[in-house]
Amino acid sequence: MNEWIGVGRAALAAARDYAEAVRLRVTKDTAPNGAIDPARLTLAQHRVHGLAWIAATIAAMEATLDWAVRGEAAGRFGPAEALTLRIGFGEYLAQLASGLPMSANEFVRPASFAADNEARIFAADPAAARLLAEGNTAETRAALAALLADGVRPEDALGDDALDQVRGQMRAFTADAITPHAHQWHLTDALIPDSVIAEMAALGVFGVCIPEEYGGLGLGKLAMAVVSEELSRGWICAGSLGTRSEIAGELIAENGTPEQKTALLPRIADGSCLPTAVFTEPDTGSDLAAVRTRAARAEDGSWRVTGAKTWITHAARADLMTMLVRTDPDAPGYAGLSMLLAPKTRGTCAAPFPDAGIEGSEIEVLGYRGMKEYALGLDGFKVLADGLLGGREGQGFKQLMRTFEGARIQTAARAIGVAWNAFDLALDYALGRKQFGQALTAFPRVADKLALMAAEIVMARELTYAAARAKDARARCDIEAGMAKLLAARVAWTAADNAVQIHGGNGYALEYPISRVLCDARILNIFEGAAEIQAQVIGRGLLAGQAPAVAVVAVAAA
């Protein structure tokens, strides 16, 4: 066994002990009588969210150790992988022991939990102490940066020929059809061309997880994560095109009537039906219990929808809206919500919303272009009687919640792709740009950034894959999915910000693609559940005794 794998495993045990001590302290504050007190939970938000970040950090280390174990068993654990493990573990152990960033200026420290003594014990553990001293050092960063500059990359093979083939196919397509054009599409705020969407459909992008009997590929969430990552490495919007199909496909496959599945799933899978998710409303944000858009039965049995929705991606060009509405105004909160499958006419530039009862106004955005965002006004918009998902009222919230795991895993995968995009641009620029007679990669502060970017991206990637594997195993994985999304979004933003810094003034110029990547990276910490929402979900779950299960077979069996 590689020496650093053994050291990492021992250090993880110490980190878990520290995390458990923190969890018990936060539990004492928020659930003094055994049950979580909502008021106390809110007052302790900094500590609750800090606990979530600690757990996500440890889960990323567990997933990375599993990657190392699998890589070594397959003969794919070389110098780049060993350095990635050392640097990543050294940095994340240091953050746990001294200060972990929850945002640019919010750090959670052992003192936040009155756990300074526990942190000292953890840091003094021989394995943890060795990684703190020898993991993330100037020498290891320089060594990894040199390998990266020579074209070496940490291993990304999944040990599954089909999945590795999917990655190769998507990477080649992205390099040819997305990357060369993405920046111009962004600058002109253009829609992704129909011809590109048709190519993506032919590759199976929109039916990755749709069962084969309905025309999909019948693959799992891990395959979906790989597809999203590789497309987003060219442009986040290419990766995001599949998100709406993923959400709609899962909603219908898991909850639809036989007739709904037969009518819609094949068309979603082949790209002839482009869906959009219509959930968010003005002033409600993540509070879905406050949804007010009303759907009422008409005399002919159809539904008439009235209300306002906002931040609806790809709304004009979509053919189908999965729409969360209130069908029972007398039922409080989530109980009165239902999901409608609402067909619409695909819009054009001249007439983006040609159907009666629906209007839309574009929301201009910094990045995440290519599909366009809209605020929608609905005034008696007609949905046929058979448009109620599963034919059941009052189930909309439950139906939607089951899709959030997959959606957040996919968002984490998009974040990984964006982070790699930032890394690729930063390294290419640093190799080509000379200052004081040397390439930028010769300067330690630049090399440090590149090495840490690569290490963090690998760790967030492996956490995302672990969450996808848990989902494919049909395990409950809301905590795992939240952790992956939480960490990957931070990593993407950090990578983009550092890549701009490496570009210097040119990074602030619109002509350089990194300016687009910075704008695209920023949204990842907000949509599909803002970082604060993710941390709340994770923290509450941990306090309620829900244990994350992302440490998979290789680590558990070692």
Short mmCIF file of all heavy atoms in Angstrom, two decimals, residues 176-203:
data_model
loop_
_atom_site.label_atom_id
_atom_site.label_comp_id
_atom_site.label_asym_id
_atom_site.label_seq_id
_atom_site.Cartn_x
_atom_site.Cartn_y
_atom_site.Cartn_z
N ASP A 176 -14.94 19.75 -29.60
CA ASP A 176 -15.21 20.07 -31.01
C ASP A 176 -16.38 21.03 -31.19
O ASP A 176 -16.31 21.97 -31.98
CB ASP A 176 -15.49 18.77 -31.77
CG ASP A 176 -15.82 19.02 -33.23
OD1 ASP A 176 -14.95 19.55 -33.95
OD2 ASP A 176 -16.96 18.70 -33.66
N ALA A 177 -17.46 20.80 -30.44
CA ALA A 177 -18.71 21.52 -30.72
C ALA A 177 -19.06 22.62 -29.73
O ALA A 177 -19.88 23.49 -30.04
CB ALA A 177 -19.87 20.52 -30.77
N ILE A 178 -18.47 22.61 -28.53
CA ILE A 178 -18.84 23.57 -27.49
C ILE A 178 -17.73 24.58 -27.22
O ILE A 178 -17.91 25.79 -27.37
CB ILE A 178 -19.23 22.85 -26.18
CG1 ILE A 178 -20.35 21.84 -26.43
CG2 ILE A 178 -19.62 23.87 -25.12
CD1 ILE A 178 -21.66 22.43 -26.87
N THR A 179 -16.57 24.10 -26.82
CA THR A 179 -15.50 24.98 -26.35
C THR A 179 -15.12 26.06 -27.36
O THR A 179 -14.96 27.23 -26.96
CB THR A 179 -14.26 24.15 -25.97
OG1 THR A 179 -14.64 23.19 -24.97
CG2 THR A 179 -13.16 25.03 -25.43
N PRO A 180 -14.98 25.76 -28.65
CA PRO A 180 -14.54 26.82 -29.58
C PRO A 180 -15.56 27.94 -29.77
O PRO A 180 -15.20 29.03 -30.22
CB PRO A 180 -14.34 26.05 -30.91
CG PRO A 180 -14.20 24.62 -30.53
CD PRO A 180 -15.07 24.45 -29.32
N HIS A 181 -16.81 27.68 -29.43
CA HIS A 181 -17.87 28.66 -29.71
C HIS A 181 -18.50 29.27 -28.46
O HIS A 181 -19.23 30.26 -28.56
CB HIS A 181 -18.98 27.98 -30.53
CG HIS A 181 -18.48 27.17 -31.67
ND1 HIS A 181 -17.89 27.72 -32.79
CD2 HIS A 181 -18.46 25.82 -31.86
CE1 HIS A 181 -17.53 26.77 -33.63
NE2 HIS A 181 -17.86 25.60 -33.09
N ALA A 182 -18.24 28.68 -27.31
CA ALA A 182 -18.96 29.06 -26.09
C ALA A 182 -18.82 30.54 -25.77
O ALA A 182 -19.80 31.20 -25.39
CB ALA A 182 -18.49 28.21 -24.92
N HIS A 183 -17.62 31.07 -25.89
CA HIS A 183 -17.43 32.45 -25.46
C HIS A 183 -18.18 33.43 -26.36
O HIS A 183 -18.77 34.41 -25.87
CB HIS A 183 -15.95 32.81 -25.41
CG HIS A 183 -15.67 34.02 -24.57
ND1 HIS A 183 -16.09 34.12 -23.26
CD2 HIS A 183 -15.04 35.20 -24.85
CE1 HIS A 183 -15.73 35.30 -22.76
NE2 HIS A 183 -15.10 35.96 -23.72
N GLN A 184 -18.20 33.16 -27.65
CA GLN A 184 -18.95 34.04 -28.55
C GLN A 184 -20.45 33.95 -28.27
O GLN A 184 -21.16 34.96 -28.28
CB GLN A 184 -18.66 33.68 -30.01
CG GLN A 184 -19.25 34.66 -31.03
CD GLN A 184 -18.74 36.08 -30.84
OE1 GLN A 184 -17.60 36.30 -30.46
NE2 GLN A 184 -19.60 37.06 -31.10
N TRP A 185 -20.93 32.75 -28.01
CA TRP A 185 -22.35 32.60 -27.65
C TRP A 185 -22.65 33.41 -26.39
O TRP A 185 -23.69 34.06 -26.30
CB TRP A 185 -22.69 31.13 -27.42
CG TRP A 185 -22.66 30.28 -28.65
CD1 TRP A 185 -22.83 30.69 -29.94
CD2 TRP A 185 -22.46 28.86 -28.71
NE1 TRP A 185 -22.74 29.62 -30.80
CE2 TRP A 185 -22.51 28.49 -30.07
CE3 TRP A 185 -22.23 27.88 -27.75
CZ2 TRP A 185 -22.36 27.16 -30.49
CZ3 TRP A 185 -22.06 26.56 -28.15
CH2 TRP A 185 -22.13 26.20 -29.51
N HIS A 186 -21.74 33.35 -25.43
CA HIS A 186 -21.93 34.10 -24.19
C HIS A 186 -21.95 35.60 -24.46
O HIS A 186 -22.85 36.32 -23.98
CB HIS A 186 -20.81 33.75 -23.21
CG HIS A 186 -20.67 34.69 -22.05
ND1 HIS A 186 -21.44 34.63 -20.92
CD2 HIS A 186 -19.83 35.75 -21.88
CE1 HIS A 186 -21.10 35.58 -20.08
NE2 HIS A 186 -20.11 36.28 -20.63
N LEU A 187 -20.97 36.08 -25.21
CA LEU A 187 -20.85 37.53 -25.43
C LEU A 187 -22.05 38.09 -26.18
O LEU A 187 -22.47 39.23 -25.93
CB LEU A 187 -19.56 37.84 -26.19
CG LEU A 187 -18.25 37.62 -25.42
CD1 LEU A 187 -17.06 37.87 -26.34
CD2 LEU A 187 -18.17 38.52 -24.20
N THR A 188 -22.61 37.32 -27.10
CA THR A 188 -23.77 37.79 -27.86
C THR A 188 -25.09 37.41 -27.20
O THR A 188 -26.16 37.71 -27.75
CB THR A 188 -23.72 37.24 -29.29
OG1 THR A 188 -23.70 35.80 -29.24
CG2 THR A 188 -22.50 37.75 -30.04
N ASP A 189 -25.02 36.75 -26.05
CA ASP A 189 -26.21 36.29 -25.33
C ASP A 189 -27.11 35.47 -26.25
O ASP A 189 -28.33 35.64 -26.28
CB ASP A 189 -26.98 37.47 -24.74
CG ASP A 189 -27.97 37.04 -23.66
OD1 ASP A 189 -27.87 35.90 -23.19
OD2 ASP A 189 -28.86 37.84 -23.32
N ALA A 190 -26.47 34.58 -27.01
CA ALA A 190 -27.21 33.78 -27.98
C ALA A 190 -27.67 32.47 -27.36
O ALA A 190 -27.04 31.93 -26.44
CB ALA A 190 -26.31 33.47 -29.19
N LEU A 191 -28.76 31.95 -27.87
CA LEU A 191 -29.21 30.62 -27.48
C LEU A 191 -28.25 29.58 -28.06
O LEU A 191 -27.70 29.76 -29.15
CB LEU A 191 -30.62 30.36 -28.00
CG LEU A 191 -31.76 31.14 -27.34
CD1 LEU A 191 -33.03 30.98 -28.15
CD2 LEU A 191 -31.98 30.68 -25.91
N ILE A 192 -28.07 28.49 -27.33
CA ILE A 192 -27.30 27.39 -27.90
C ILE A 192 -28.00 26.95 -29.18
O ILE A 192 -29.21 26.71 -29.18
CB ILE A 192 -27.21 26.22 -26.90
CG1 ILE A 192 -26.40 26.64 -25.67
CG2 ILE A 192 -26.57 24.99 -27.55
CD1 ILE A 192 -26.29 25.57 -24.61
N PRO A 193 -27.28 26.85 -30.29
CA PRO A 193 -27.92 26.55 -31.57
C PRO A 193 -28.69 25.23 -31.55
O PRO A 193 -28.30 24.26 -30.89
CB PRO A 193 -26.73 26.47 -32.55
CG PRO A 193 -25.67 27.31 -31.92
CD PRO A 193 -25.83 27.11 -30.44
N ASP A 194 -29.78 25.20 -32.31
CA ASP A 194 -30.59 23.98 -32.42
C ASP A 194 -29.76 22.81 -32.95
O ASP A 194 -29.99 21.66 -32.56
CB ASP A 194 -31.79 24.23 -33.35
CG ASP A 194 -32.84 25.12 -32.71
OD1 ASP A 194 -32.96 25.10 -31.46
OD2 ASP A 194 -33.55 25.82 -33.44
N SER A 195 -28.81 23.12 -33.83
CA SER A 195 -27.99 22.05 -34.40
C SER A 195 -27.14 21.37 -33.33
O SER A 195 -26.93 20.15 -33.36
CB SER A 195 -27.08 22.61 -35.51
OG SER A 195 -26.23 23.63 -34.98
N VAL A 196 -26.66 22.15 -32.35
CA VAL A 196 -25.88 21.58 -31.25
C VAL A 196 -26.78 20.74 -30.35
O VAL A 196 -26.39 19.65 -29.90
CB VAL A 196 -25.17 22.68 -30.45
CG1 VAL A 196 -24.47 22.11 -29.24
CG2 VAL A 196 -24.17 23.42 -31.34
N ILE A 197 -27.98 21.23 -30.09
CA ILE A 197 -28.94 20.47 -29.28
C ILE A 197 -29.24 19.14 -29.96
O ILE A 197 -29.33 18.09 -29.31
CB ILE A 197 -30.22 21.28 -29.05
CG1 ILE A 197 -29.92 22.51 -28.17
CG2 ILE A 197 -31.29 20.42 -28.39
CD1 ILE A 197 -31.11 23.41 -27.94
N ALA A 198 -29.38 19.16 -31.28
CA ALA A 198 -29.66 17.93 -32.02
C ALA A 198 -28.50 16.95 -31.89
O ALA A 198 -28.71 15.73 -31.74
CB ALA A 198 -29.92 18.25 -33.49
N GLU A 199 -27.27 17.44 -31.94
CA GLU A 199 -26.11 16.56 -31.75
C GLU A 199 -26.09 15.98 -30.35
O GLU A 199 -25.78 14.79 -30.16
CB GLU A 199 -24.82 17.35 -32.01
CG GLU A 199 -24.57 17.72 -33.45
CD GLU A 199 -23.24 18.43 -33.61
OE1 GLU A 199 -22.19 17.76 -33.53
OE2 GLU A 199 -23.24 19.67 -33.79
N MET A 200 -26.41 16.81 -29.36
CA MET A 200 -26.45 16.31 -27.98
C MET A 200 -27.52 15.24 -27.83
O MET A 200 -27.31 14.22 -27.16
CB MET A 200 -26.69 17.47 -27.02
CG MET A 200 -25.53 18.46 -26.95
SD MET A 200 -25.91 19.97 -26.01
CE MET A 200 -26.11 19.31 -24.37
N ALA A 201 -28.67 15.46 -28.46
CA ALA A 201 -29.74 14.47 -28.40
C ALA A 201 -29.30 13.15 -29.02
O ALA A 201 -29.57 12.06 -28.49
CB ALA A 201 -30.98 15.00 -29.11
N ALA A 202 -28.59 13.24 -30.15
CA ALA A 202 -28.12 12.03 -30.82
C ALA A 202 -27.13 11.26 -29.95
O ALA A 202 -27.05 10.02 -30.04
CB ALA A 202 -27.48 12.39 -32.17
N LEU A 203 -26.39 11.97 -29.12
CA LEU A 203 -25.45 11.32 -28.20
C LEU A 203 -26.14 10.74 -26.97
O LEU A 203 -25.50 10.05 -26.17
CB LEU A 203 -24.39 12.33 -27.75
CG LEU A 203 -23.36 12.74 -28.82
CD1 LEU A 203 -22.52 13.91 -28.31
CD2 LEU A 203 -22.46 11.57 -29.18
#
